[in-house]
Amino acid sequence: MCSPDSRSNGDGVVMIKGSDLLVAALENEGVERIFGVPGEENLDVVEALRKSRIELVVTRHEQAAAFMAATHGRLTGRPGVCISTLGPGALNFTTGAAYAHLGAMPMIMLTGQKGILFSRQARFQIVDIIAAMRPITKMARTIVTGSSIPTLVRDAFRVAMEERPGPVLLELPEDIAGEEIKDVPLVPPHDVPLPVANPAALERATQMLLAAKRPLLMAGAGANRPRLTEALSDFVRRTRLPFFNTQMGKGAIAGGSKLYMGTAALSERDYVHRAIDRADVILSVGHDTVEKPPFLMGPKGPKVIHVGFMPAHVEQVFYPNAELVGDVGPSLALLADRIEGKLNIDPAFTTLRGEILAKLQDRAEESRFPLTPQRIVHDVRQVMPEDGMVCLDNGMYKIWFARNYRTHVANTLLLDNALATMGAGLPSAMMAAMLYPERRVLAVAGDGGFMMNSQEMETAVRLKLNLVVLILEDNAYGMIRWKQAVDKFPDFGLGFGNPDFVKYADSYGAKGRRVESADGLAPTLEAAFSDGGVQLVVVPVDYSENIRVLVEELSRNVG
Ligand SMILES: Cc1ncc(C[n+]2csc(CCOP(=O)(O)OP(=O)(O)O)c2C)c(N)n1
Ligand SMILES: [Mg+2]
C-alpha cells in the first residue's frame, strides 16, 4: 500500500516526504481534525494537511487545543490529535497532557523540533520536550527516521487507546518532516477484543455478593468509557443493585433509574454517605483513584470488589478485597448470569434514597438574588434536554453540580475530578459541540476559570459552533476563598475585578447577556439556546451557601 502523496524518483523507487507519510498515517487511523498552533518547524506538516482530508483547526492557545483533543478521546474512545511547534508551543501542551493522563483520555500530541541532522540555530528554542513530557504521557518519542513513521504512528494510537487510555507525544524534527524517503506501507489498525475476567475471580465476587446483606454498586470514572455504558446499564437492570457514582462516573448508568442513590462529590459525611456507610459490600465499577475519594475505606466499613480493565491501585483509602479484572462489559454480563435474582437488596435503601434526593432539592427554587448554586443547578437542568451536555470548568460550583445535577445519559456532565484544572470548561464544550452538533451544549465556568481560556471564544465563533457559556460571577477565586474560610483563615487576597462579560462576548462576535433576577436565569439560557451560535450568559452567584450547607449542615452528619 502506498501513501497518497508518494511519487517515483525516476528510478522506479517511490519517494515521499516524511510529513506526507505522517499525515497519511493519521488518515489511516481515521483522524478527521487536528487542533493547535503550528510553528515554522511544522510547516511541512501543515502543507501535507492542506492536501489531505484532515481539517486543521487553529486555536488561540495550545492548551485549549490539547483540552479539545483530550475531550475528543474521552467522548469517542478514539484519540484526539493536537499539534504545536517546539519549545514554547510544546510546553503549552503540558497541562492538557496531564489532564488526559490523569483523566485517562486517549490523545496524540504532535510537536515540532529543530532539525536533528544539522543544527543551524544552535540551541535557540530547544527544550527537551521528550523529558518534560515523559511523566505526563504514556509514551513520548522523537521520530528520528522517516521510514519509522507508519509503525510509530500505529503504535502511538495503540498505546493511547489501550486501557488505561492516555496521551502520547510524537516529536517530528523539521528535517525528518521535509526529507524525501522511500515510501513505506502503512500499518492497518485492527480491533483487539480484551480478555474477560477469570472464572475464579467471578466465583469469588459472586460468593461475596451473594453473602452480602446490603450490597451497593458504585460507578467510577472508567464506567463512562464510551464502549461500556450500555453493558453497565444492562447489568443494573438485571441485578437491580442500588447504585451511586463518583463525580466522573455520573451518567454512566442510563435512564431515570429508581436505583440511583446519589453522587459522592465529597469523601464523607454527605447524605449519600448514609447509604455508603450502611452497605456491607460495594461493587466498584471502573473506579480510578485519580478521583478525589468518593468514600474512605476503613477497617469497619464495607468490603469492596473492584471491577476494572486494570487491577486496582492500592491506596490508604481504597484497597479492594476482591477484583474482577478484564473487559468490564462482558465480565459484568458473566457476573449477572451468576447473581441475577439472587441478591439481598436492602429495602432501607429505598427510604434512604428518598431522603438523600430530597435533601438535594433544598433551596433549589429559592428566589434569592444573586442566585444560590442550588438554584443555578436546578435551572440549568430545566433548560437542558436529557442528552444535553454540560461541560464544567473547575471551581466551587463543580461540587454543587456533581451533587445536585441529575444525569440520565452517559457523559452528559463532563467534569474533571482528576487533574481538576481550571481552563478546560470552554474547550471541552467546544469539542462536545463539534462532535454533537444536534445537542444542546453548555459550558459552565467561574469568572476565574473562564478567563484562563476565554480567548477561545474567537475559535468557537470562527467554527460557527452552537454553544452557550454560563459564567458564575463572584469576583473571586471562590473555591479557594471557601477553603480559606473553612480553615478559619481571614478573608484575604482572592478577589479580583472582571471585564464586562456582555461586552466581552459581543466583541468576539458572540452574544452576551446578564441575568438580572433570580427568575431570569432559565429564560435567559432558553433564549440563548434558541438564538444559536456562540452565546455567553453571566449570572451573579451567592456562595454563602457553601459554608451553610457544605460545612455547617454536613458537619452535623457525623457517624
Ligand atoms: C489551573 C489551575 N489553577 C489553580 C487551581 C486552584 N483552584 C481551584 S478552584 C480555584 C478558583 C476557581 O475560581 P473561579 O473559576 O472563579 O470559580 P469559583 O470557585 O469562584 O466559582 C482555584 C484557583 C486549579 N484547580 N487549576
Ligand atoms: Mg469565581
Side-chain angles (χ1 to χ4, degrees):
M1 179 170 49
C2 278
S3 315
D5 252 288
S6 50
R7 57 179 179 269
S8 168
N9 68 350
D11 302 329
V13 181
V14 178
M15 300 297 283
I16 186 168
K17 261 191 178 185
S19 50
D20 288 320
L21 193 51
L22 174 78
V23 170
L26 295 173
E27 282 184 331
N28 185 49
E29 297 292 337
V31 174
E32 291 169 353
R33 298 184 183 105
I34 298 188
F35 305 94
V37 183
E40 60 178 298
E41 288 70 22
N42 308 112
L43 284 175
D44 275 308
V45 176
V46 171
E47 172 58 11
L49 286 172
R50 187 181 68 79
K51 296 179 286 180
S52 79
R53 293 191 302 272
I54 301 175
E55 181 190 357
L56 173 64
V57 177
V58 294
T59 56
R60 307 306 299 269
H61 195 294
E62 291 87 350
Q63 188 184 87
F67 287 149
M68 290 179 79
T71 304
H72 180 285
R74 176 182 196 173
L75 291 174
T76 67
R78 306 272 323 161
V81 183
C82 53
I83 188 165
S84 82
T85 187
L86 75 176
L91 287 170
N92 276 347
F93 275 164
T94 51
T95 306
Y99 174 77
H101 200 44
L102 269 69
M105 308 176 198
M107 161 164 91
I108 306 286
M109 294 175 282
L110 302 170
T111 56
Q113 188 52 281
K114 297 282 183 214
I116 46 174
L117 303 178
F118 303 99
S119 179
R120 285 176 187 281
Q121 294 190 339
R123 295 192 194 174
F124 176 62
Q125 283 194 308
I126 291 188
V127 173
D128 186 346
I129 293 299
I130 299 294
M133 286 286 189
R134 204 164 269 136
I136 46 176
T137 51
K138 289 182 79 179
M139 177 171 107
R141 300 274 297 268
T142 303
I143 302 177
V144 291
T145 127
S147 56
S148 66
I149 287 174
T151 39
L152 264 181
V153 169
R154 180 75 280 272
D155 207 42
F157 276 75
R158 175 189 70 79
V159 171
M161 285 167 69
E162 92 189 358
E163 288 289 339
R164 178 178 185 274
V168 170
L169 175 115
L170 290 178
E171 180 184 68
L172 182 62
E174 201 176 356
D175 47 5
I176 307 295
E179 189 190 15
E180 292 259 339
I181 46 163
K182 228 167 71 181
D183 199 1
V184 195
L186 301 174
V187 187
H190 58 266
D191 278 343
V192 186
L194 296 175
V196 290
N198 183 304
L202 280 164
E203 188 50 33
R204 180 155 177 206
T206 303
Q207 292 314 325
M208 278 176 76
L209 283 165
L210 294 183
K213 301 257 179 311
R214 297 173 301 279
L216 259 188
L217 183 147
M218 174 173 86
N224 258 324
R225 298 273 200 280
R227 64 184 183 163
L228 177 55
T229 49
E230 216 163 289
L232 180 55
S233 302
D234 214 49
F235 179 79
V236 172
R237 264 193 300 275
R238 289 179 66 189
T239 60
R240 310 300 303 153
L241 263 174
F243 69 90
F244 66 105
N245 48 253
T246 68
Q247 293 194 33
M248 291 177 83
K250 267 189 104 82
I253 295 164
S257 167
K258 296 245 165 6
L259 299 168
Y260 170 70
M261 303 291 300
T263 297
L266 307 174
S267 300
E268 54 187 341
R269 292 193 191 167
D270 206 344
Y271 295 103
V272 69
H273 292 99
R274 291 187 184 168
I276 299 171
D277 294 344
R278 187 172 167 80
D280 55 354
V281 171
I282 292 182
L283 185 67
S284 161
V285 180
H287 179 48
D288 191 327
T289 57
V290 288
E291 282 205 76
K292 194 181 268 188
F295 64 97
L296 307 172
M297 274 188 85
K300 287 213 226 101
K303 296 267 179 287
V304 171
I305 305 169
H306 164 82
V307 187
F309 296 98
M310 311 278 287
H313 286 141
V314 179
E315 315 278 356
Q316 288 180 8
V317 294
F318 190 77
Y319 41 89
N321 309 88
E323 307 197 23
L324 273 190
V325 178
D327 198 353
V328 173
S331 302
L332 283 178
L334 291 175
L335 184 63
D337 291 344
R338 293 169 183 242
I339 61 173
E340 186 173 359
K342 298 185 193 155
L343 292 177
N344 291 312
I345 304 291
D346 179 12
F349 280 138
T350 314
T351 327
L352 257 181
R353 174 176 189 271
E355 289 168 19
I356 294 166
L357 299 185
K359 278 286 174 197
L360 300 181
Q361 289 308 311
D362 204 20
R363 303 207 175 186
E365 290 174 75
E366 196 172 86
S367 47
R368 192 189 314 173
F369 188 82
L371 281 82
T372 60
Q374 298 95 309
R375 176 79 197 259
I376 293 173
V377 174
H378 171 269
D379 286 12
V380 166
R381 187 66 275 186
Q382 301 300 305
V383 298
M384 296 305 284
E386 281 209 343
D387 69 350
M389 299 179 76
V390 174
C391 306
L392 302 186
D393 204 273
N394 256 278
M396 194 62 219
Y397 51 87
K398 187 176 83 176
I399 296 181
W400 290 103
F401 270 88
R403 285 177 92 232
N404 297 21
Y405 190 79
R406 287 290 301 275
T407 46
H408 308 291
V409 177
N411 288 312
T412 47
L413 181 67
L414 283 196
L415 56 77
D416 164 23
N417 188 32
L419 184 65
T421 178
M422 295 163 74
L426 174 59
S428 66
M430 288 164 59
M431 191 68 248
M434 290 180 92
L435 287 170
Y436 302 100
E438 72 291 354
R439 297 199 196 175
R440 282 191 173 182
V441 176
L442 179 74
V444 178
D447 42 8
F450 171 71
M451 290 301 284
M452 288 200 180
N453 270 320
S454 65
Q455 76 286 344
E456 301 307 328
M457 292 287 282
E458 188 280 317
T459 313
V461 169
R462 174 166 28 93
L463 294 174
K464 300 193 170 44
L465 299 182
N466 284 314
L467 172 70
V468 179
V469 183
L470 177 65
I471 299 179
L472 278 54
E473 191 176 47
D474 67 337
N475 298 301
Y477 292 119
M479 181 162 208
I480 310 304
R481 197 177 195 189
W482 170 65
K483 284 264 163 74
Q484 192 178 47
V486 173
D487 292 348
K488 310 244 177 306
F489 290 113
D491 183 8
F492 171 74
L494 294 165
F496 48 66
N498 275 317
D500 177 332
F501 285 116
V502 173
K503 287 191 189 146
Y504 187 72
D506 291 348
S507 73
Y508 280 105
K511 168 128 185 71
R513 302 160 201 258
R514 170 168 281 277
V515 176
E516 306 280 3
S517 71
D519 294 333
L521 176 59
T524 308
L525 285 173
E526 192 56 51
F529 277 117
S530 306
D531 264 16
V534 181
Q535 301 269 337
L536 182 151
V537 174
V538 55
V539 60
V541 58
D542 177 355
Y543 270 152
S544 59
E545 287 292 285
N546 297 335
I547 297 285
R548 190 189 70 78
V549 178
L550 300 179
V551 181
E552 290 163 5
E553 188 177 307
L554 296 187
S555 69
R556 294 194 287 274
N557 285 353
V558 190

